Amino acid sequence: MAGLSVAFPVGIGLALVLGTLLTYFADGGAASTQSPAMLFAGVMFAFFAILAQVQANATKVTYEKLPDTAINANKAVASGGGNEGGGGKYRRGQFVCVLAGVTMSLWSPLSAFSMTGGGCLTPYSSFLVFATGVCCTTPLVCLFVRPLLGGTEFEPKFDFEAYARAPITSHGMGCLGGMVWALGTVSSLISGKTIGMALSYSIGQR
């Protein structure tokens, strides 16, 4: 919708900045981090990097709208027409990026809060609850969120039959990716109990 050059820095970058700040306070503030100044300095530079990326992409989009640029002519030849309706899709893509970044940023502070105080969850039980939530919400994402893209040139409509017909290697790679992601998430939660959840989260997001 907006392109990976926008989606990755805006979505992941916003999750990094906002998630680190929220996690810092959810995990007990300065008592949980050895060097808050260094942590906030890193978050500040990450925020500046997001602004630079957004500005660079805005300049690129403005350049591509110029009528006589070679890049515009090449696109017209390749597509066989104009880019009608592209602005609306791009703005919708930006909105989805921001929404994704905000929602992703809430996971770490909620996890940190669940592991503080008496009778709290352990990193393992916190991940178990988290994984259960993923299993429960994934079908809803496929059915209700994915239609934001379904039926466009970016992604076809979701089809359970087509999913079932996919080769076993595709399903295997998906499972392998989930295992790697799970291992990284558990490791982040475990390390957070030692070095602080905010620092652990910010390192993991980078």
Side-chain angles (χ1 to χ4, degrees), residues 27 31-32 111-118 120-124 126 186-201:
D27 197 31
S32 65
S111 297
F113 186 76
S114 72
M115 293 187 291
T116 56
C120 62
L121 296 177
T122 66
Y124 304 101
S126 177
V186 172
S187 300
S188 176
L189 293 173
I190 294 173
S191 64
K193 298 295 287 185
T194 303
I195 66 175
M197 287 296 296
L199 180 57
S200 175
Y201 173 77

Side-chain angles (χ1 to χ4, degrees), residues 95-122:
F95 172 77
V96 172
C97 289
V98 172
L99 181 62
V102 172
T103 52
M104 282 191 293
S105 71
L106 299 178
W107 166 75
S108 184
L110 291 174
S111 297
F113 186 76
S114 72
M115 293 187 291
T116 56
C120 62
L121 296 177
T122 66

Side-chain angles (χ1 to χ4, degrees), residues 133-151:
V134 171
C135 293
C136 293
T137 56
T138 297
L140 299 178
V141 170
C142 292
L143 292 174
F144 299 109
V145 178
R146 197 166 182 254
L148 286 171
L149 291 177

Side-chain angles (χ1 to χ4, degrees), residues 20 47 57 121 153 162 185:
T20 301
F47 180 69
N57 194 76
L121 296 177
E153 68 271 23
T185 304

Side-chain angles (χ1 to χ4, degrees), residues 5 54-65 71 75:
S5 62
V54 171
Q55 180 58 46
N57 194 76
T59 302
K60 173 177 174 290
V61 171
T62 302
Y63 173 75
E64 289 178 347
K65 288 181 179 179
I71 188 171
K75 282 190 173 183

Side-chain angles (χ1 to χ4, degrees), residues 35-61:
S35 181
M38 293 296 291
L39 177 66
F40 286 121
V43 170
M44 179 184 68
F45 283 119
F47 180 69
F48 288 153
I50 296 172
L51 295 181
Q53 173 63 35
V54 171
Q55 180 58 46
N57 194 76
T59 302
K60 173 177 174 290
V61 171

